[in-house]
Amino acid sequence: MLMKRWIGAALAGGLMLAAGATQAQTVGPQGETATPSSSLTLSDADIAALKDKGYKAALLWHTSSDFTNAVTAGATDEFARAGISIAVKTDAQFDAARQRSDIETALAAKPNVILALPLDPVTSAEAFRQAVKDGVKLVFLSNLPKDYKQGTDYASIVTDDLYQMGKQAADAMAKAIGGKGKVGYIFHDANYYVTNQRDQSFKKTIEKDYPDIKIVAEQGISDPARAEELANAMLLQHPDLDGIYVTWAEPADGVLSALRGAGNKHTKIVTLDLAEPVALDMVKGGNVAALVADKAYELGRAMAASGMKSLLAQQTPAFVVAPALTVTKENVSQGWRDSLNRDAPQSVLDAAK
């Protein structure tokens, strides 16, 4: 579900890997140092300076989902503090050509700020160029148009604390299997800094912090539809696995199907991002032990804050990260709200009672 926002950008041709991806912190697509989103704030004087100027914003999203709804809510609430209205909101449906058309539509409304996830860095570089020429302040979610320069072409990139997501997944796995055992590692087999850092952080944390846990099987995955097949092969070779890390929730559902098909109630799954099928298994006490998610509402708030600081000609950080959180059976209701600014699916809430 949520990971489609990254994969859409990656598979559209924007595959990027930060040189420092194995460092013990999140870095940007060009090696930028991360700035916590909590430090990106506006003073009362800043808000007053923005009000009554007739400023408008456009939100040009890549898809429609609970995630984009939460990002939209965070951005809308932050813009509202300064009286900035949302003039345009679009859904490109993971189509780079459609996103280019969306940009043209948005520019006709003459927004002062655009928030967007560029689907294809090459296509997006040309598509957003007119916005740059028009002086529109651009803030990007996770991806970056090719050859764009921070401070000149755009204000900030905002994304998750990728290192912390992987680390929290490793910590959750260790807790789920009692700090020792054998685990499998299913990683995203593509050159994309978002998933690469999350996956590598999990692996490095296990190797560094948990000497009694051994990663005995590794498998890359590019097509989530093959997850069950790959998991079956892994389990055939290693039927005694205590846990399996899965790069995001959609393929984790396939891994869960493989475990169920084998009658395996022992092996624990830890994955990233929120999705109803794996969350439902988790609250029912099944194989899924924990889900590590981002704070999507905070992503939107930080994007809007960067755009507004740019309107004030204030310096903005090149690369901003929002916090991660670990969601378990015990905190699923609050965790869903903290991440997505909405209630968990009714099926999950009912099963958690």
Side-chain angles (χ1 to χ4, degrees):
M1 182 182 74
L2 302 185
M3 181 46 61
K4 286 183 179 178
R5 71 185 186 273
W6 313 126
I7 303 311
L11 299 186
L15 304 180
M16 302 176 289
L17 176 63
T22 58
Q23 296 177 359
Q25 61 179 353
T26 300
V27 295
Q30 299 180 120
E32 300 95 334
T33 299
T35 297
S37 62
S38 59
S39 68
L40 195 57
T41 59
L42 290 99
S43 68
D44 290 343
D46 291 335
I47 295 297
L50 290 164
K51 283 185 174 179
D52 304 320
K53 297 292 194 301
Y55 288 143
K56 297 180 290 185
L59 313 181
L60 309 185
W61 300 135
H62 48 299
T63 188
S64 295
S65 66
D66 288 342
F67 169 79
T68 53
N69 289 342
V71 177
T72 294
T76 301
D77 289 350
E78 185 72 357
F79 280 134
R81 295 175 58 215
I84 296 176
S85 62
I86 308 300
V88 179
K89 185 172 69 173
T90 62
D91 167 13
Q93 299 180 10
F94 289 105
D95 183 332
R98 179 165 179 165
Q99 185 174 68
R100 181 166 186 159
S101 176
D102 289 344
I103 295 167
E104 293 171 356
T105 299
L107 290 178
K110 299 188 180 304
N112 305 95
V113 181
I114 290 178
L115 312 185
L117 187 153
L119 278 169
D120 177 350
V122 175
T123 301
S124 296
E126 180 61 29
F128 281 106
R129 185 55 62 189
Q130 188 59 50
V132 175
K133 291 178 180 177
D134 291 349
V136 180
K137 307 306 181 184
L138 301 177
V139 183
F140 296 122
L141 178 62
S142 300
N143 220 9
L144 180 64
K146 181 176 173 58
D147 297 329
Y148 271 40
K149 305 299 182 185
Q150 192 267 339
T152 302
D153 300 319
Y154 69 96
S156 302
I157 306 170
V158 182
T159 194
D160 307 332
D161 191 333
L162 308 169
Y163 173 79
Q164 275 298 320
M165 290 188 78
K167 180 184 185 304
Q168 289 186 32
D171 293 340
M173 177 65 78
K175 183 177 181 180
I177 66 174
K180 61 182 179 180
K182 301 176 181 179
V183 300
Y185 171 68
I186 298 179
F187 61 93
H188 184 210
D189 191 12
N191 186 22
Y192 186 47
Y193 86 99
V194 169
T195 49
N196 295 158
Q197 285 189 65
R198 294 175 9 156
D199 293 342
Q200 291 166 7
S201 175
F202 172 87
K203 185 178 181 182
K204 294 295 183 182
T205 301
I206 290 293
E207 293 172 345
K208 176 177 177 290
D209 295 348
Y210 299 103
D212 294 329
I213 298 177
K214 305 300 179 185
I215 297 175
V216 298
E218 299 187 23
Q219 178 63 59
I221 187 170
S222 57
D223 180 2
R226 294 194 61 212
E228 184 172 357
E229 169 196 345
L230 296 175
N232 279 326
M234 180 179 285
L235 290 164
L236 186 63
Q237 289 187 310
H238 303 276
D240 59 343
L241 288 178
D242 298 292
I244 299 177
Y245 165 85
V246 191
T247 183
W248 75 90
E250 186 179 357
D253 193 29
V255 175
L256 181 58
S257 294
L259 292 173
R260 287 172 173 169
N264 182 332
K265 297 182 179 181
H266 169 73
T267 305
K268 297 300 181 184
I269 293 173
V270 173
T271 191
L272 307 180
D273 301 327
L274 302 180
E276 185 173 1
V278 287
L280 190 57
D281 179 82
M282 180 178 71
V283 298
K284 288 182 175 180
N287 297 90
V288 179
L291 309 173
V292 178
D294 56 23
K295 290 192 174 184
Y297 181 89
E298 172 63 6
L299 288 172
R301 186 208 66 79
M303 291 182 77
S306 177
M308 291 192 289
K309 288 178 80 69
S310 189
L311 284 173
L312 293 168
Q314 295 181 8
Q315 186 174 0
T316 54
F319 184 66
V320 180
V321 296
L325 69 158
T326 301
V327 179
T328 64
K329 178 180 180 180
E330 289 70 31
N331 73 339
V332 66
S333 179
Q334 187 60 48
W336 218 279
R337 180 150 290 282
D338 289 345
S339 173
L340 294 178
N341 194 47
R342 56 152 286 183
D343 291 334
Q346 195 60 46
S347 63
V348 173
L349 294 175
D350 289 345
K353 291 178 180 177

